[in-house]
Amino acid sequence: MTQDMLYEVRNGAAWVTLNRPDALNAMNQNILDGYSEVIEKAEKDPEVKAVVFTGSGRAFSAGADLKYVLQFMGSGDPVKVRTFMKQAYEAFARVGECEKPTIAAVNGITAAGGLELTLACDLVIAAESVKIGDGHINFGMLPGGGSAIRLPRKISETRAKYLLFTGELLPVQKVADWGLINEIVPDDQLIPRVEELVAKLTSKSPLAMRLMKHLVDQALDMPLDRALQTEMQVWEAYGQSEDVIEGLTAFTEKRKPAYKGR
C-alpha cells in the first residue's frame, strides 16, 4: 500500500482514504491494486467490524486516471487491454465481496470509478455538495468496474441508462431520490455521521451481519422460493451460534449484548 491509499483503524472500523487530492483521487495502479489489500487486511482484523471508503480533498473520486488507462487502451495490444479490465473488475468485485459491511462516505465529485466504488459498497452516506454520475461515455469509454451492471439493479434500467448515456454529474439529491444514496448530510457532518453509523453497526453481531449481507446479495439472483429456503437454512445454522443466544439473553437481562462473532 502507498500514500495514494491511506488505511487507518479507529473505533471498530477500517477507514480507507483515496489520497490523490490534486488528481481528484483518480485511480491509478496503486489504488486499483490497493482495494484487495485493504479488504483482506480488514477481514483478517478482529477489531474491524466495518470498512469505510472516502476521499481526500474536494472529490470522492473522479474515476480512473486517464493517463494510466491510455497506457493500456492506446497500446493496440489486446493482452494489455485485458490486463487493465481485469484489474478494474477485480478491484470493485473485492469491495463488493467483503465479508464485513462497507460504507461509502461520499464527498465532492464522484464519477466513473468513483460511482462504481459507491455501487460496490453496502451503504452510502453523501455530503450535500456531491455531484455524482457515471461519466465513462464522456471519454468514449465503457464501464469496467460494474456500473453498467450494478447501476440498473440499484436505480432501475431507465434511470441507469440516463446516467450512462449522458455522462452527466447530477446533484446528490436527485440520485438519492432514485435510491442510490442512503442519506445526505451537510458537508461538515459527513464524517461525524458516518462515525455514528459505524458505532451502530459495530454494536451488532458481526456473524449475523455477515450472514445477513450474504443473504441479501445472493437472493437478488435467486428465484423467490429458493431464496426463502436459503434464508431458512442459514437461520437454522445460525440458531446454534453463541451470538444469537447472547442477543436473546441480553434482552431478557436488560443489558447490552457482548457479541463474539461466533
Side-chain angles (χ1 to χ4, degrees):
M1 198 181 309
T2 69
Q3 286 299 109
D4 291 344
M5 179 179 273
L6 307 180
Y7 183 94
E8 177 189 8
V9 176
R10 66 176 191 266
N11 299 326
W15 287 74
V16 180
T17 303
L18 307 187
N19 190 42
R20 300 186 70 211
D22 293 341
L24 299 179
N25 297 320
M27 299 180 195
N28 56 11
Q29 182 172 349
N30 290 334
I31 291 178
L32 289 173
D33 288 344
Y35 287 115
S36 293
E37 184 178 348
V38 297
I39 294 298
E40 182 176 359
K41 191 172 182 178
E43 286 180 337
K44 289 181 177 179
D45 188 345
E47 298 301 315
V48 171
K49 302 298 191 301
V51 183
V52 179
F53 291 93
T54 194
S56 61
R58 62 189 184 93
F60 183 65
S61 175
D65 185 324
L66 297 184
K67 293 179 181 178
Y68 175 64
V69 174
L70 192 58
Q71 296 176 26
F72 298 87
M73 299 304 175
S75 68
D77 184 343
V79 175
K80 289 185 177 181
V81 172
R82 192 178 305 117
T83 297
F84 171 75
M85 297 313 302
K86 184 172 183 289
Q87 182 186 40
Y89 165 78
E90 290 179 348
F92 299 114
R94 190 67 184 89
V95 174
E97 294 165 358
C98 181
E99 294 180 352
K100 299 178 179 182
T102 52
I103 304 168
V106 181
N107 58 298
I109 296 168
T110 303
L115 173 63
E116 289 172 322
L117 177 55
T118 70
L119 291 169
C121 289
D122 298 311
L123 303 174
V124 183
I125 309 297
E128 60 187 2
S129 65
V130 164
K131 299 287 187 180
I132 187 168
D134 184 67
H136 285 98
I137 196 69
N138 296 333
F139 307 100
M141 294 176 62
L142 297 176
S147 60
I149 309 304
R150 289 192 176 100
L151 195 57
R153 297 183 181 209
K154 296 250 186 178
I155 64 171
S156 85
E157 177 185 349
T158 52
R159 288 167 173 168
K161 284 179 177 177
Y162 185 87
L163 282 178
L164 292 165
F165 292 178
T166 66
E168 291 181 12
L169 296 185
L170 300 181
V172 70
Q173 186 62 61
K174 184 72 171 180
V175 295
D177 292 343
W178 287 356
L180 188 60
I181 308 293
N182 291 101
E183 186 178 346
I184 301 171
V185 298
D187 287 26
D188 62 356
Q189 292 300 305
L190 178 62
I191 300 306
R193 174 61 186 120
V194 173
E195 289 175 335
E196 186 178 279
L197 179 58
V198 165
K200 182 173 290 187
L201 297 184
T202 56
S203 71
K204 313 301 183 185
S205 161
L207 177 57
M209 191 83 68
R210 177 171 61 83
L211 295 173
M212 204 174 291
K213 174 175 176 172
H214 177 76
L215 280 170
V216 172
D217 291 345
Q218 295 300 311
L220 290 173
D221 296 319
M222 289 183 184
L224 179 60
D225 59 344
R226 183 182 166 197
L228 291 171
Q229 289 172 7
T230 300
E231 183 184 59
M232 180 180 66
Q233 292 166 357
V234 171
W235 172 242
E236 286 177 353
Y238 178 67
Q240 307 301 312
S241 70
E242 292 181 26
D243 274 10
V244 71
I245 301 302
E246 170 61 14
L248 295 171
T249 302
F251 172 77
T252 61
E253 295 178 354
K254 295 182 172 56
R255 61 173 175 81
K256 291 183 178 180
Y259 296 114
K260 298 180 179 178
R262 57 179 188 261

